[in-house]
Amino acid sequence: MPRDDRTPSPDAPVYEGAERLQKVLAAAGVGSRRACEDLIFRRRVTVNGRVAQLGDRADPSRDVIHVDGERLQADTRLVYLAMNKPRGVVSTMADEKGRTALADFLGNRVEQRVYHVGRLDADSEGLLLLTNDGTLAHKLMHPSYGVQKTYLCQVSGLIPRNLGKRLMAGVELEDGPVKVDSFRVVDTLGKTAQVEVSLHEGRKHIVRRLLAEVGHPVSRLVRTAIGPIRLGDLRAGRTRRLTNAEVAALFRAVGD
């Protein structure tokens, strides 16, 4: 393998404080410095859309780095967490009324100040994303980026066979029409059922209002996925850091 002190690309930008690219990659958890050198040598790394060379430097706070076509968040100051919000907890980092809030579950485990991406009402539970990456958070919440969210709902009433088609065709609510991307019945027990609903909408209480409108009020709602990130077996009240692959998938979901 060529030495890591090769002359960098002549058009590679150099910023004050920029570091050797392999060091930046290693700090972001891609692999050892030697493994990262190999990735660069094999032309599997780009910086700001340009194929990187050994000897290149990068500033993780301003350069856009891709490895094998996947966006890498190399700025180690940025934090990305998944949280399973319990029922009864308000979707705010701190509550002026003294109610249990999201920050109560973080303790001192996260040094950076993070914010929640979107909301779940106090009676709902499940997946929330917490981050200090304001740009990504904005894109994940903005309806123009169309990031899908999936919910598991316990509802009352017998589910008619054509309900999925009706929901996907669209239902008129007081603040405008809404339609789902997918709908399926997970389980039935007497006059109650568990259904899974996926949609891009982000209006307040949209899932509860939608299902109530078609005659199936929700008694329990759990968000199980936001885009490519799934709740999985994360226990209520717990948080976990997203993997590099999951963060890359979020960037891909918003077109970055």
Side-chain angles (χ1 to χ4, degrees):
M1 180 191 302
R3 291 171 53 85
D4 68 353
D5 59 355
R6 284 184 55 183
T7 302
S9 308
D11 56 347
V14 178
Y15 310 118
E16 183 178 354
E19 298 180 294
R20 286 292 175 95
L21 182 55
Q22 60 267 37
K23 182 179 179 181
V24 172
L25 297 178
V30 174
S32 67
R33 287 199 194 182
R34 181 55 63 93
C36 293
E37 291 170 9
D38 188 55
L39 289 172
I40 298 169
F41 175 64
R42 296 179 185 277
R43 301 174 61 85
R44 294 168 59 183
V45 181
T46 64
V47 179
N48 302 327
R50 174 191 53 79
V51 177
Q53 295 182 10
L54 286 169
D56 284 357
R57 293 176 176 269
D59 181 344
S61 68
R62 61 193 301 177
D63 289 320
V64 178
I65 302 172
H66 286 76
V67 179
D68 291 335
E70 295 285 350
R71 171 78 177 266
L72 175 69
Q73 183 46 266
D75 189 344
T76 55
R77 297 171 301 177
L78 296 179
V79 177
Y80 305 88
L81 303 171
M83 177 181 184
N84 186 348
K85 185 191 88 68
R87 191 170 187 172
V89 174
V90 293
S91 287
T92 183
M93 298 311 297
D95 183 62
E96 59 184 15
K97 297 180 180 179
R99 294 172 296 181
T100 303
L102 303 178
D104 296 326
F105 296 89
L106 297 179
N108 298 321
R109 289 171 293 158
V110 180
E111 295 181 0
Q112 298 87 341
R113 187 176 183 182
V114 295
Y115 302 90
H116 53 93
V117 179
R119 305 178 69 86
L120 282 171
D121 63 73
D123 289 333
S124 298
E125 54 198 289
L127 182 62
L128 274 176
L129 299 181
L130 306 175
T131 184
N132 57 352
D133 187 337
T135 301
L136 179 61
H138 170 75
K139 292 180 178 180
L140 289 171
M141 289 187 291
H142 200 282
S144 66
Y145 290 91
V147 177
Q148 189 178 81
K149 302 171 184 67
T150 301
Y151 302 85
L152 186 64
C153 307
Q154 184 171 311
V155 300
S156 60
L158 299 175
I159 306 298
R161 297 183 65 178
N162 67 342
L163 181 58
K165 290 183 178 180
R166 180 182 176 188
L167 294 174
M168 287 187 280
V171 175
E172 189 71 32
L173 300 179
E174 68 274 11
D175 56 351
V178 59
K179 59 182 179 180
V180 306
D181 300 312
S182 66
F183 173 87
R184 71 184 181 96
V185 177
V186 177
D187 194 14
T188 59
L189 180 62
K191 294 184 178 181
T192 64
Q194 277 194 340
V195 299
E196 183 183 79
V197 179
S198 295
L199 73 171
H200 291 84
E201 282 276 4
R203 281 180 276 170
K204 188 175 182 179
H205 304 312
I206 189 66
V207 176
R208 291 181 181 274
R209 292 193 290 126
L210 172 63
L211 291 175
E213 180 67 24
V214 296
H216 301 283
V218 175
S219 58
R220 185 184 181 191
L221 184 148
V222 181
R223 184 157 62 197
T224 58
I226 299 174
I229 309 303
R230 302 198 64 83
L231 180 64
D233 58 1
L234 187 63
R235 294 173 57 186
R238 297 294 182 88
T239 61
R240 68 172 180 85
R241 290 183 181 267
L242 300 187
T243 65
N244 285 338
E246 287 176 317
V247 175
L250 284 176
F251 280 115
R252 188 166 60 249
V254 297
D256 283 357

